[in-house]
Amino acid sequence: MKKLLMLVTCLSVIPSLGIMAQCPLENKAFNAGERLDYQLYFNWQFIWIKAGTACLDIQDATYEGKRVYRASLITRGSKRTDKFFMMRDTLSGYFTHDLMPLYYRKGALEGKRYYIDEARYSYPGGGKTHVRQRFITHEGELLTNEWEGNSCAFDMVSMMMRARSFDPSQYRDGQRILFPMADGCKVREATLIFRGRKKFKMESTGITYNCLVFSFVEFKGKKEREVVTFYITDDDNHMPVRLDLYLRFGTAKAFLSNQKGLRNPQTSIIKRN
């Protein structure tokens, strides 16, 4: 499930342009020791079935002699859904305490295909970002790429963590947010659309949250396709509680099932059963 939890909250933008601002950013949303667990569901021939689990875990780490954060995102399909579509994804990202990406790796078994995606970041000065990418296809072919630009670049993990510290108070319904995404063996433009604010009740817990709603879209030529719609808590944690995914083989949903080690009070909760 390539796009699962690809982006779980909004981005910092220059409001008039919708483009990513400076790279260093103060972390306001999480501490090492946070863990978020999710239950995954697939719509299979008009029936919703439990499909597996996902877990996001954040720890202190060392990278090239420096103290940093490491975030790991692991998704696992259930034995039931393995009969139809095998899913074993492990994503890891290292990033500085001011949320600048350093290294990203994804090892993914999706169906009968296994591939490895890597990106290494450096900052040569003058506001530039350099990205070295390696991609090993499911056929074992090694592809490489190098990219340098005057803006920040991100991957699934570093953007997911960075975005949780942004202030969306000035966002308008329908606002588009642009940023460079390292994915596969290329850096491409990615787009988020702010859909507004909604209340969401978690059926498993009975908790109702005030949420911010975003959509991640991609383009094939000039045609726009929605990939995932996600709900994040409208508080300082910006914790993703629901994701609706539109996949090639159907529709999937992810719901938060447990959390621990949150940094901030859950002020987005408006009702408990």
Side-chain angles (χ1 to χ4, degrees):
M1 190 182 296
K2 184 177 181 180
K3 305 300 181 183
L4 177 63
L5 297 180
M6 184 172 184
L7 298 169
V8 293
T9 186
C10 53
L11 314 179
S12 175
V13 297
I14 301 171
S16 60
L17 299 179
I19 299 173
M20 189 64 57
Q22 63 181 356
C23 290
L25 183 72
E26 181 185 0
N27 170 31
K28 301 178 181 179
F30 63 85
N31 288 321
E34 181 187 273
R35 176 179 169 130
L36 305 177
D37 293 297
Y38 296 86
Q39 295 291 331
L40 309 181
Y41 296 85
F42 285 166
N43 189 299
W44 189 264
Q45 297 180 347
F46 306 105
I47 299 174
W48 284 100
I49 61 174
K50 188 174 179 180
T53 61
C55 173
L56 174 64
D57 181 67
I58 305 167
Q59 299 295 335
D60 288 318
T62 301
Y63 181 82
E64 295 184 346
K66 298 179 181 180
R67 298 297 296 168
V68 300
Y69 289 120
R70 183 188 70 232
S72 299
L73 174 63
I74 299 172
T75 61
R76 294 290 183 266
S78 67
K79 291 183 179 179
R80 183 179 182 183
T81 55
D82 280 351
K83 298 176 182 178
F84 307 103
F85 186 83
M86 180 78 72
M87 182 180 64
R88 301 288 188 273
D89 291 359
T90 300
L91 291 77
S92 297
Y94 291 76
F95 47 95
T96 67
H97 287 170
D98 54 2
L99 305 177
M100 294 174 62
L102 298 169
Y103 174 74
Y104 164 76
R105 185 185 189 278
K106 177 181 179 179
L109 174 62
E110 297 173 350
K112 297 181 179 180
R113 303 173 59 187
Y114 181 78
Y115 63 90
I116 297 173
D117 187 3
E118 287 185 296
R120 296 180 185 273
Y121 302 83
S122 59
Y123 303 92
K128 293 185 179 296
T129 301
H130 186 87
V131 184
R132 291 186 293 125
Q133 294 174 270
R134 295 175 72 250
F135 185 79
I136 302 176
T137 72
H138 67 285
E139 296 176 340
E141 181 182 5
L142 173 63
L143 305 176
T144 62
N145 182 51
E146 294 200 26
W147 178 91
E148 187 167 287
N150 294 319
S151 61
C152 311
F154 302 93
D155 50 74
M156 296 185 212
V157 173
S158 61
M159 177 50 67
M160 176 171 57
M161 303 313 304
R162 175 188 178 88
R164 293 177 60 184
S165 289
F166 298 142
D167 178 9
S169 61
Q170 302 302 313
Y171 284 8
R172 304 176 302 276
D173 287 10
Q175 182 166 344
R176 289 173 177 263
I177 304 153
L178 312 178
F179 59 97
M181 170 72 75
D183 183 24
C185 197
K186 59 185 177 180
V187 176
R188 59 186 177 83
E189 182 181 278
T191 303
L192 281 175
I193 302 175
F194 179 53
R195 301 297 191 188
R197 292 168 170 81
K198 295 183 180 180
K199 296 177 182 179
F200 169 65
K201 182 178 180 179
M202 189 75 68
E203 292 186 4
S204 59
T205 62
I207 297 175
T208 301
Y209 298 91
N210 280 323
C211 290
L212 306 167
V213 184
F214 290 82
S215 293
F216 178 80
V217 300
E218 64 182 13
F219 294 86
K220 290 189 175 180
K222 295 183 178 180
K223 188 174 181 181
E224 180 178 289
R225 185 178 78 89
E226 189 160 339
V227 177
V228 56
T229 298
F230 46 91
Y231 295 66
I232 64 169
T233 56
D234 193 3
D235 56 26
D236 290 338
N237 294 302
H238 286 164
M239 177 178 63
V241 294
R242 168 183 168 180
L243 298 96
D244 299 343
L245 300 108
Y246 309 101
L247 310 171
R248 290 188 300 273
F249 53 87
T251 304
K253 294 181 183 291
F255 297 103
L256 182 74
S257 59
N258 190 46
Q259 73 277 339
K260 68 176 184 179
L262 296 182
R263 175 172 176 170
N264 302 300
Q266 296 187 71
T267 58
S268 61
I269 294 177
I270 58 177
K271 185 178 180 181
R272 295 179 184 267
N273 265 0

